[in-house]
Amino acid sequence: MTSSPRRHAEISGAGFAGLTAAVALAQLGWSVRVHERGQKLREEGAGIVLWQNSLTVLDALGTHDELMAGSMTPPFYETRMQNEIVSDESLDGLRWRTMTRPFLHSVLLKAARAAGVEIIAGSEVASANEAGVIRLADGTELEADLVVGADGVGSNVRDSLGIEYTRERSRDGISRFLVSRHKAELQAIEPDTEWDNVIDFWNFEPRVLRVLYTPANDKELYLALMAPAADEDGTRVPIDLDLWTSIHPQLAPALEEVAHKEGKHYGYQTTRVESWRRGRVALVGDSAHAMCPALAQGANCAMVNAYTLAHAVSDAPASELPDALIDWERLERPYTDRTQDRSQYYADTRSMSEGNQFVGESVEAAWYDPTDPHRHDAIRAH
Ligand code: 5PR
């Protein structure tokens, strides 16, 4: 047996998708370099829900214990309409965890360093070609067996390759914040409520203003404030405290802390690309499938696809890598496409407000096991 030379990957983007691909590839024996255009390696986002699909990936990468120590599983996913409880879902054996985005990022960064990944901050990948050459903003060219475009919704990698996409905007959008738990103050207002559940406070009257309340750990609370993109006061950041507390008075202690925070309102949008790959280049995460957050699957699908990408290319001989990417897209993409479509549907119809939504096809992605070698048996048979 001859030992083949170590294969090399250049990755653009040190977010959840890029770091997951980096760790998975490095653990499979690749040399990996990640370019992050930001000057600092950190995540600015607020909170996140991870479902079983991405938790399975994080287990496979060896981060289980660390991840569990800094995250939590709320007892129920509660939905309220006009402050009446519509449903309390226990999610029927499906694993899920809530945490902050900076925490998840720190776990992946540590795993990447432990796996020997080289990460360069302040390094922007300006373009890539299908032969596997990237060009940095400073003109440097680097060659790789595999290039990964994990560079977000405005991806240079995607756009320099001429991969086309469509973008649809939805009518609503969201501003996200991390604050402290305020549990005692909230209990003073609603003593019968533990305030450990995720509580999705929908409100349609007198206007559409929704607060998604998500405990992220013992100390931190993730609040997502949704309003129609056309609502100037509802989308203002820093928030209009009087407006939000007039609709959600029971959340006043937490909203008061939010009112001191800078931030940004993001309009929901769905980006659909013509292809996830071109030659030796693969797209993962928002560059490939930016989606509405209604099913909270954007980052989850990103991590799943980054993981399956690493395995797909490692299982194939180096010369056949472009074909391996074709197969990878053909087998893995349908799950993400369906999730993207459903998430857009739920965002457009606001039908998550009806409660009891985490059943059937809406949790298809959450139940998906990217480590199951038989997961494509039915498709392959055709
Ligand atoms: N679920 C989660 C979330 O963060 C959002 C939504 C649903 C966990 C918004 O960011 O419906 O928009 C949603």
Side-chain angles (χ1 to χ4, degrees):
M1 213 176 111
T2 55
S3 67
S4 49
R6 203 168 172 219
R7 287 195 269 170
H8 179 68
E10 296 282 348
I11 299 180
S12 177
F16 302 140
L19 289 176
T20 301
V23 177
L25 286 164
Q27 290 181 351
L28 288 163
W30 292 61
S31 82
V32 182
R33 180 157 44 213
V34 181
H35 302 268
E36 167 54 48
R37 79 175 167 180
Q39 294 296 332
K40 296 232 168 76
L41 295 176
R42 65 161 185 240
E43 161 68 35
E44 311 266 354
I48 189 163
V49 175
L50 292 189
W51 304 95
Q52 187 155 301
N53 53 335
S54 66
L55 293 171
T56 303
V57 168
L58 288 158
D59 288 353
L61 300 182
T63 64
H64 176 271
D65 294 353
E66 206 191 341
L67 197 82
M68 294 299 281
S71 60
M72 65 181 273
T73 300
F76 293 99
Y77 197 111
E78 181 165 315
T79 302
R80 297 191 191 187
M81 172 56 87
Q82 311 288 139
N83 209 30
E84 295 290 329
I85 296 176
V86 179
S87 65
D88 275 317
E89 295 179 80
S90 61
L91 305 175
D92 203 17
L94 181 71
R95 283 177 71 206
W96 62 299
R97 303 289 288 178
T98 61
M99 66 202 74
T100 72
R101 283 180 175 253
F103 169 70
L104 174 60
H105 192 261
S106 73
V107 170
L108 283 168
L109 200 54
K110 194 168 154 195
R113 290 194 167 121
V117 172
E118 183 188 353
I119 309 174
I120 310 178
S123 178
E124 180 173 1
V125 176
S127 66
N129 71 24
E130 56 192 277
V133 178
I134 59 167
R135 179 190 280 268
L136 305 182
D138 71 6
T140 308
E141 291 199 342
L142 299 165
E143 205 179 323
D145 296 289
L146 171 70
V147 170
V148 180
D151 49 350
V153 70
S155 174
N156 286 345
V157 170
R158 177 193 64 211
D159 295 345
S160 66
L161 283 162
I163 296 176
E164 289 181 12
Y165 59 86
T166 61
R167 182 163 290 160
E168 277 181 75
R169 296 183 198 282
S170 295
R171 61 181 159 164
D172 295 330
I174 207 140
S175 312
R176 303 170 167 107
F177 304 92
L178 276 184
V179 295
S180 46
R181 286 288 300 269
H182 296 282
K183 201 166 153 169
E185 298 149 89
L186 292 165
Q187 266 171 345
I189 298 171
E190 254 186 45
D192 293 341
T193 300
E194 282 294 334
W195 296 99
D196 288 333
N197 289 345
V198 168
I199 310 179
D200 202 345
F201 289 92
W202 287 88
N203 186 84
F204 288 171
E205 299 295 334
R207 60 203 280 179
V208 176
L209 290 175
R210 164 192 175 206
V211 178
L212 180 63
Y213 168 100
T214 306
N217 56 49
D218 285 352
K219 297 196 173 63
E220 292 166 287
L221 171 65
Y222 162 39
L223 285 182
L225 276 56
M226 187 201 88
D231 180 342
E232 264 181 52
D233 297 324
T235 59
R236 183 167 294 135
V237 183
I239 64 160
D240 181 334
L241 181 62
D242 289 344
L243 172 62
W244 284 93
T245 50
S246 72
I247 303 285
H248 297 286
Q250 71 281 54
L251 294 174
L255 291 169
E256 277 158 22
E257 190 182 343
V258 167
H260 296 289
K261 306 236 169 201
E262 296 294 331
K264 191 175 169 339
H265 177 88
Y266 290 91
Y268 292 165
Q269 57 161 51
T270 304
T271 301
R272 291 182 176 85
V273 298
E274 145 217 352
S275 175
W276 281 10
R277 38 113 240 136
R278 183 73 54 90
R280 294 189 166 272
V281 183
L283 304 177
V284 289
D286 284 348
S287 62
H289 53 68
M291 65 177 79
C292 292
L295 287 174
Q297 272 290 345
N300 286 261
C301 286
M303 294 165 72
V304 164
N305 295 329
Y307 177 84
T308 57
L309 167 68
H311 283 266
V313 294
S314 299
D315 290 346
S319 60
E320 289 168 25
L321 190 140
D323 290 334
L325 294 183
I326 293 173
D327 259 14
W328 166 70
E329 177 172 7
R330 182 175 66 85
L331 294 171
E332 300 295 337
R333 181 167 175 168
Y335 301 90
T336 297
D337 284 350
R338 289 196 290 271
T339 305
Q340 211 185 12
D341 289 350
R342 287 174 193 139
S343 228
Q344 184 178 12
Y345 171 82
Y346 285 126
D348 289 345
T349 59
R350 298 175 179 149
S351 57
M352 303 290 285
S353 62
E354 292 157 23
N356 290 312
Q357 295 290 324
F358 294 104
V359 292
E361 57 173 38
S362 78
V363 279
E364 183 196 23
W367 279 107
Y368 187 59
D369 180 356
T371 65
D372 177 1
H374 298 295
R375 68 192 184 281
H376 300 306
D377 284 359
I379 303 177
R380 278 190 217 279
H382 289 96

